[in-house]
Amino acid sequence: MGKLTVRALRAVLVVVLAGTVFVQALMVWALATDPEDGSLPLTPLRVITILGMVSVQVALVCVWRLVTMVRRGTVFSHAAFRYVDIVIGAIVAAALVWFAVTVLNAPGQRADPGVTVIMGGVGVAILGVALIVLVLRMLLAQAVARDVEAAQMQAELDEVI
């Protein structure tokens, strides 16, 4: 991975992380100062938003660590699995948070239930992203196994020579 790619990815990660912290701060401020008017369950939605941002932040930190491992050439190791597993967990948590938002929003959509169906579909799509990352984890496992096998073969070849 080139230096420009790493810098660009890290810049995106920093911007997204700063954005999530900003949204969390706004939600905490709104929880403390803005009363509910009764039209929507604002307090649960704000708490869910804060939790959703936490799941995004956890994934961002793990991606940062994985990029660091790629840059150092150590990504094909068992240490990378921990970060990938945490990313998968964070994506699943984000999907569960989205489903909670869908449930809270559903009573207000009785006249147009299509919105609730679409929101449910978005939740399923988020779970699909978790499955894609799981498949990528399996590819990483194969790569790590091949790397270990190649190192063993190199050691055997070094003994012969």
Side-chain angles (χ1 to χ4, degrees):
M1 186 180 270
K3 288 183 181 181
L4 181 61
T5 306
V6 169
R7 287 182 184 154
L9 179 56
R10 285 187 173 164
V12 169
L13 293 174
V14 167
V15 168
V16 174
L17 185 62
T20 60
V21 169
F22 180 70
V23 169
Q24 281 178 321
L26 287 177
M27 290 297 112
V28 169
W29 180 76
L31 278 171
T33 61
D34 191 23
E36 292 191 30
D37 63 1
S39 62
L40 281 174
L42 292 179
T43 299
L45 285 172
R46 289 172 180 159
V47 170
I48 288 170
T49 300
I50 292 168
L51 294 175
M53 294 298 108
V54 168
S55 68
V56 171
Q57 291 165 346
V58 167
L60 291 171
V61 169
C62 289
V63 170
W64 185 285
R65 294 292 303 153
L66 287 167
V67 169
T68 301
M69 292 178 81
V70 167
R71 204 57 197 129
R72 291 181 184 159
T74 60
V75 76
F76 295 118
S77 66
H78 293 287
F81 291 111
R82 175 176 43 156
Y83 297 114
V84 175
D85 290 340
I86 293 171
V87 168
I88 293 169
I91 295 170
V92 170
L96 294 175
V97 165
W98 183 256
F99 285 130
V101 168
T102 303
V103 167
L104 284 173
N105 188 50
Q109 299 297 327
R110 287 196 177 127
D112 188 13
V115 172
T116 303
V117 172
I118 291 170
M119 289 179 72
V122 169
V124 171
I126 295 169
L127 286 175
V129 171
L131 289 173
I132 291 169
V133 176
L134 181 62
V135 168
L136 294 174
R137 183 194 186 282
M138 290 180 211
L139 292 172
L140 177 64
Q142 288 180 352
V144 168
R146 301 250 194 248
D147 195 44
V148 168
E149 183 181 343
Q152 290 171 346
M153 293 174 86
Q154 183 64 44
E156 289 174 10
L157 184 60
D158 288 344
E159 286 179 15
V160 171
I161 297 176

